[in-house]
Amino acid sequence: MQGISARATELDRGDPLASFRDRFTLAEGLLYLDGNSLGRLPKETIRRIRQVVEHEWASELVLGWDHWLDTGLRIGDSLAPLIGANPGEVAVCDQTSINLYKLASAAMDATGRPNIVTDAGNFPSDRYVLASVAERSGGELILAPEDGTVSDLAPLINDTTALVSLSHVSYRSGTLADGAAITQLAHDGGAMMLWDLAHSAGSVPVHLSAWDADMAVGCTYKYLNAGPGAPGFLYVRRDLHDTLTQPITGWFGHRDQFGFTASWQPAPDIRRFLVGTPPIVSMVGVEVGVAISAEAGIDEIRRKSIELTSLFIEGVAPLAEHGVEIVTPMEGARRGSHVTLRHADGVQITAALRSAGVIPDFRAPDLIRFGFAPLYTSYQEVARAVGILTELIETGSYRSFDERRGRVT
Ligand SMILES: *Cc1c(COP(=O)(O)O)cnc(C)c1O
């Protein structure tokens, strides 16, 4: 323990991203390790939202749409380099679940095949939406084992497969998928590839163009710190813009939005994947969050993320003798930015941690996730969290906490 604490001090001292912590509002007394679920609030977001509400909305009213209209495309262009995409290929719009529905449906129409392949550990909303889309095409959702690798997936992909859709970083184990190899595998089988970047955007470099990925979706309120419920994003590779169409044919996707014509005609570019009026106030959070991540640089963020998660893993390893299993891959290159521990008393341990001011989250039935956000998590915080967790597990003090999980975990 002593060793980790001393090293944390050392690492903080040499941290090139240390100054970014001051750009965020730090909730008093909270050792926050849940930035993988909801990122912290950038101070700049407070200032910019005030400005948009008090000046743009208040005084421009509907005239504001002259410059608000393309907000989602403009922020999409800023986000593109963080995920290895080109300008014009990314739009910030709707929620991740909705974007997934739109793009998965587009793939079914484009390939004319009935089935979708994902893995059993994919996020529930993804599994539910993909199952619904496949069933509507007369097919089914086929599940590879959790954290499916190329060899798990290969036997499941054939000429009935329209789409392979996976999370790049697993929300459960934090396992990082091989983007290039799996995309290639899908294409070899004549299927399209749709990545969910919810836990990757702003934490792990993604190379959508280099992988030749067809489509992607993701969240902005996690590592991009855009705020609760902030809109998600979608990516569609440029050469597919002419042919893919999506089922929610709203006016923002129309080639002549203000022509008010009788029927829907898709816009010739990424706009065809938009639906309706964007939430301009929430968009401000996305704009600021993306700008901060871009300024820090995704490679620097990744370097620190691996250091943070390595320090935590090293610190909790001795808890194995108390039944704590590290679910996340030990090899830095194979994981994202959270570390998941499994323990039979996970509900109580999570409750005890929260009562001690440490905020991880819990994923039923027995997983505790600790998220490390390189822009604001310090190495000292990692060392302190390890100390508190060790204490409450070694003493068994967590056992006095309620065994029932709350509604939000
Ligand atoms: C967080 C998360 C989502 C959330 O989707 P919403 O539509 O924003 O609620 C979807 N997929 C994955 C993989 C996630 O981790």
Side-chain angles (χ1 to χ4, degrees):
M1 261 321 295
Q2 198 52 47
I4 282 203
S5 191
R7 207 137 46 76
T9 310
E10 194 77 352
L11 284 163
D12 278 328
R13 210 169 283 146
D15 176 10
L17 295 182
S19 65
F20 280 87
R21 185 174 164 87
D22 191 44
R23 310 271 282 270
F24 293 87
T25 307
L26 302 177
E28 208 54 48
L30 282 194
L31 207 170
Y32 192 67
L33 298 178
D34 208 8
N36 52 310
S37 192
L38 177 62
R40 286 193 192 269
L41 167 62
K43 293 174 182 168
E44 172 73 1
T45 299
I46 303 173
R47 200 184 63 76
R48 285 276 297 128
I49 284 184
R50 285 195 83 100
Q51 190 182 17
V52 167
V53 170
E54 293 177 357
H55 297 283
E56 299 183 16
W57 177 9
S59 50
E60 297 174 23
L61 288 163
V62 78
L63 305 178
W65 283 109
D66 278 344
H67 60 93
W68 292 332
L69 200 67
D70 289 333
T71 301
L73 304 185
R74 192 162 40 79
I75 307 173
D77 283 349
S78 314
L79 174 56
L82 288 170
I83 55 174
N86 300 304
E89 291 184 324
V90 180
V92 174
C93 58
D94 302 318
Q95 297 304 317
T96 304
S97 305
I98 295 171
N99 288 328
L100 189 76
Y101 174 78
K102 293 187 290 185
L103 297 189
S105 302
M108 308 313 279
D109 292 346
T111 60
R113 294 175 172 189
N115 297 334
I116 301 179
V117 171
T118 189
D119 79 41
N122 204 352
F123 191 74
S125 203
D126 293 50
R127 284 184 285 109
Y128 306 153
V129 168
L130 294 172
S132 155
V133 170
E135 282 158 23
R136 281 162 184 274
S137 298
E140 59 179 331
L141 180 64
I142 294 166
L143 298 180
E146 179 161 5
D147 298 333
T149 59
V150 166
S151 53
D152 294 322
L153 292 160
L156 306 179
I157 299 171
N158 54 42
D159 62 9
T160 68
T161 316
L163 177 72
V164 178
S165 182
L166 296 170
S167 290
H168 181 229
V169 173
S170 157
Y171 86 103
R172 280 165 57 85
S173 67
T175 301
L176 182 67
D178 186 338
I182 294 174
T183 301
Q184 175 78 52
L185 180 75
H187 288 171
D188 288 348
M192 300 185 85
M193 184 73 220
L194 197 176
W195 286 103
D196 189 328
L197 306 177
H199 286 272
S200 313
S203 77
V204 178
V206 174
H207 304 285
L208 291 171
S209 296
W211 300 346
D212 200 28
D214 301 288
M215 301 174 286
V217 297
C219 301
T220 62
Y221 51 76
K222 294 173 178 170
Y223 293 103
L224 289 170
N225 307 301
F233 63 87
L234 59 77
Y235 156 86
V236 179
R237 202 179 60 233
R238 169 100 60 193
D239 62 288
L240 298 169
H241 292 185
D242 292 339
T243 48
L244 285 188
T245 49
Q246 51 97 358
I248 313 180
T249 48
W251 70 318
F252 269 70
H254 197 284
R255 83 166 47 240
D256 181 15
Q257 183 181 358
F258 287 90
F260 297 111
T261 58
S263 65
W264 191 75
Q265 297 288 327
D269 51 22
I270 193 78
R271 274 172 224 268
R272 67 171 57 198
F273 302 101
L274 303 180
V275 177
T277 307
I280 293 303
V281 178
S282 286
M283 285 283 195
V284 172
V286 187
E287 182 154 40
V288 174
V290 166
I292 295 176
S293 285
E295 183 188 335
I298 194 67
D299 292 327
E300 201 59 58
I301 289 173
R302 174 64 169 157
R303 200 194 48 70
K304 182 175 175 188
S305 158
I306 292 179
E307 292 268 8
L308 288 164
T309 51
S310 297
L311 188 71
F312 183 76
I313 286 174
E314 185 187 323
V316 300
L319 296 176
E321 63 179 275
H322 296 281
V324 173
E325 179 197 343
I326 300 169
V327 173
T328 302
M330 301 303 268
E331 193 189 329
R334 292 197 47 235
R335 62 176 182 255
S337 211
H338 69 267
V339 175
T340 305
L341 305 182
R342 174 179 279 129
H343 191 284
D345 302 327
V347 173
Q348 288 168 292
I349 293 171
T350 304
L353 283 168
R354 287 188 172 179
S355 129
V358 181
I359 314 294
D361 64 20
F362 176 75
R363 290 294 173 262
D366 54 7
L367 302 178
I368 314 171
R369 296 192 308 183
F370 297 84
F372 303 95
L375 293 176
Y376 53 75
T377 305
S378 69
Y379 294 96
Q380 282 288 352
E381 284 182 307
V382 174
R384 272 175 27 232
V386 167
I388 293 167
L389 178 65
T390 301
E391 156 97 19
L392 64 88
I393 286 186
E394 281 183 351
T395 61
S397 62
Y398 69 83
R399 292 204 182 87
S400 61
F401 286 82
D402 200 331
E403 291 171 39
R404 289 164 306 178
R405 69 180 158 94
R407 178 151 176 249
V408 178
T409 61

